[in-house]
C-alpha cells in the first residue's frame, strides 16, 4: 500500500521520463480518475490507496496514449464529451466555429437547421444546439465508432429530440437544406502525419487527420456538397489548418461561394472560414 503522495511522486517521474511536459498536472488527473473523485477532493488527501489501476493509467500515458482516451472525456465549449479510440479529440481552437455561428446568428431563439459534416464526438453539433434551444440538427460521419460515441454524447446532453445522426460521406446522401453547416475536416498533409506528436500520430484516427497530399482534399469534396445543402441566406463554417486560408478561399470561390469572414483563433491563426453561396437572396 502507498499513500497518494508516494504514487504521485512516482507517476510524475515516469511521465517526465516519457516526455510529458505537464507531468504533474496529468498525474493528478489520472489519480483522481483512478480514485473516482473530483480534483478538489484530492487537495490535502494523503491516505493509503491501492494504486493498481493508477499504475496502468500512468503506463498508458507514458506510452503517449492521449490523456482524454484514458479518462474517457474531454471538455469542449464548457460541456463534457465522451471520447475514445476511433474518434478525434475535440480541440480548443475548434470552438472558433461556434463563436462565429453566434456572431452571424445572434438571435439565440432562432429555429435553425444545423448540419455537422464529419461529426466525430458530436461536439460541434451539440454545442450549437446547446446555444440555440429551438434549433434542430443532423450529424453525419463515415465512422461507426465515432457515431456510437456521438450518440452517447447526444443522449448525455438530452438532445435526442432535436438531433439525428447518420452514416454518410460528407453529406452526399442527405436530403434537405440547412441554415448552418459546420465541419472540421481532415486538413493535415499526408507527408506531415509522421511528424505529428505521438498522441496524435499513434492513437487518433488517421481518416480524421489526413487531408491528402496538400491537405485540401476534403475541401474540394465539401464545396459542391455544401453548395447543394445550404439554404439561401445560410452559412457554412469550416475549420482550417495553419496557412490554408487562401487555398481554401480559392476552392470555395471557384465553387461559387462568397467569403463572409476568415476568423482567427485565440492564437491569431486563421481557423474558421465563413462562406455563403454567391446567389443568396438580398
Amino acid at each position: 500500500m502507498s499513500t497518494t503522495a508516494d504514487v504521485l511522486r512516482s507517476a510524475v517521474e515516469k511521465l517526465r521520463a516519457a516526455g510529458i511536459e505537464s507531468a504533474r498536472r496529468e498525474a493528478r488527473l489520472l489519480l483522481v480518475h483512478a480514485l473516482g473523485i473530483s480534483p478538489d477532493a484530492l487537495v490535502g488527501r494523503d491516505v493509503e490507496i491501492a494504486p493498481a489501476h493508477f499504475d496502468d493509467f500512468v503506463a498508458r500515458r507514458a506510452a503517449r496514449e492521449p490523456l482524454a482516451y484514458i479518462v474517457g472525456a474531454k471538455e469542449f465549449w464548457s460541456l463534457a464529451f465522451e471520447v475514445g479510440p476511433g474518434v478525434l479529440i475535440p480541440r480548443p481552437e475548434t470552438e472558433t466555429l461556434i463563436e462565429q455561428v453566434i456572431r452571424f446568428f445572434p438571435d439565440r431563439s432562432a429555429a435553425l437547421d444545423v448540419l455537422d459534416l464529419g461529426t466525430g464526438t458530436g461536439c460541434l453539433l451539440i454545442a450549437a444546439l446547446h446555444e440555440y434551444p429551438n434549433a434542430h440538427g443532423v450529424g453525419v460521419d463515415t465512422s461507426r465508432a465515432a457515431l456510437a460515441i456521438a450518440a452517447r454524447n447526444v443522449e448525455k446532453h438530452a438532445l435526442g429530440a432535436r438531433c439525428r445522426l447518420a452514416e454518410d460521406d460528407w453529406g452526399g446522401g442527405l436530403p434537405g437544406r440547412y441554415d448552418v453547416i459546420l465541419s472540421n475536416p481532415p486538413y493535415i498533409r499526408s507527408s506531415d502525419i509522421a511528424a505529428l506528436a505521438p498522441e496524435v500520430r499513434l492513437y487518433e484516427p488517421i481518416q480524421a487527420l489526413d487531408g491528402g497530399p496538400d491537405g485540401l482534399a476534403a475541401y474540394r469534396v465539401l464545396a459542391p456538397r455544401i453548395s447543394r445543402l445550404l439554404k439561401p441566406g445560410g452559412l457554412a463554417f469550416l475549420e482550417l489548418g495553419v496557412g490554408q486560408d487562401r487555398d481554401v478561399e480559392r476552392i470555395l470561390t471557384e465553387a461559387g461561394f462568397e467569403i463572409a469572414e476568415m476568423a482567427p483563433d485565440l492564437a491569431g491563426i486563421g481557423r474558421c472560414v465563413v462562406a455563403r453561396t454567391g446567389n443568396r437572396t438580398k
Side-chain angles (χ1 to χ4, degrees):
M1 298 288 285
S2 304
T3 66
T4 54
D6 293 332
V7 295
L8 269 177
R9 189 180 305 111
S10 175
V12 170
E13 291 174 358
K14 291 175 182 177
L15 294 183
R16 282 178 176 163
I20 308 298
E21 292 184 1
S22 53
R24 184 172 297 279
R25 181 185 69 86
E26 295 199 19
R28 290 177 62 84
L29 291 173
L30 291 172
L31 183 56
V32 299
H33 180 60
L35 292 172
I37 62 176
S38 70
D40 290 342
L42 190 63
V43 177
R45 184 178 181 137
D46 194 24
V47 298
E48 288 189 343
I49 62 170
H53 290 301
F54 181 59
D55 287 346
D56 176 59
F57 294 157
V58 171
R60 290 167 62 186
R61 186 66 188 104
R64 304 301 289 267
E65 182 176 349
L67 177 68
Y69 284 175
I70 300 171
V71 302
K74 181 70 174 180
E75 183 179 286
F76 179 86
W77 201 250
S78 298
L79 302 170
F81 289 89
E82 177 186 336
V83 299
V87 68
L88 191 73
I89 298 168
R91 269 72 163 170
E93 57 266 27
T94 303
E95 294 183 352
T96 308
L97 276 66
I98 301 300
E99 293 169 355
Q100 292 304 308
V101 172
I102 292 170
R103 177 186 171 198
F104 281 90
F105 293 92
D107 180 5
R108 303 295 183 88
S109 67
L112 301 173
D113 289 315
V114 182
L115 173 62
D116 183 13
L117 296 172
T119 195
T121 60
C123 65
L124 277 171
L125 179 59
I126 290 168
L129 296 183
H130 178 78
E131 292 296 328
Y132 295 88
N134 295 318
H136 288 74
V138 177
V140 303
D141 208 297
T142 57
S143 167
R144 293 184 180 182
L147 287 170
I149 290 175
R152 291 194 291 272
N153 282 323
V154 168
E155 182 179 2
K156 175 184 178 69
H157 292 284
L159 289 170
R162 295 197 285 128
C163 181
R164 180 172 67 87
L165 301 173
E167 185 178 349
D168 188 271
D169 185 14
W170 297 126
L174 288 183
R177 303 179 83 179
Y178 300 85
D179 301 291
V180 172
I181 296 180
L182 302 162
S183 188
N184 176 17
Y187 51 67
I188 299 171
R189 291 192 297 267
S190 301
S191 60
D192 291 341
I193 298 293
L196 295 175
E199 288 84 348
V200 180
R201 171 172 47 85
L202 299 177
Y203 291 95
E204 295 197 76
I206 189 68
Q207 66 269 24
L209 301 168
D210 193 342
D214 62 358
L216 302 171
Y219 300 100
R220 296 188 182 95
V221 175
L222 282 168
R225 304 266 174 101
I226 291 173
S227 181
R228 176 180 65 82
L229 292 165
L230 204 58
K231 287 182 182 180
L235 291 168
F237 302 81
L238 310 181
E239 183 166 333
L240 311 172
V242 176
Q244 291 181 330
D245 43 358
R246 291 186 178 180
D247 289 328
V248 174
E249 179 177 357
R250 174 177 47 79
I251 290 169
L252 291 174
T253 55
E254 288 177 356
F257 286 89
E258 293 180 0
I259 305 304
E261 184 70 42
M262 192 69 71
D265 60 20
L266 292 176
I269 296 168
R271 186 62 66 183
C272 173
V273 59
V274 184
R276 57 166 65 95
T277 54
N279 60 350
R280 72 190 190 282
T281 55
K282 301 291 186 180

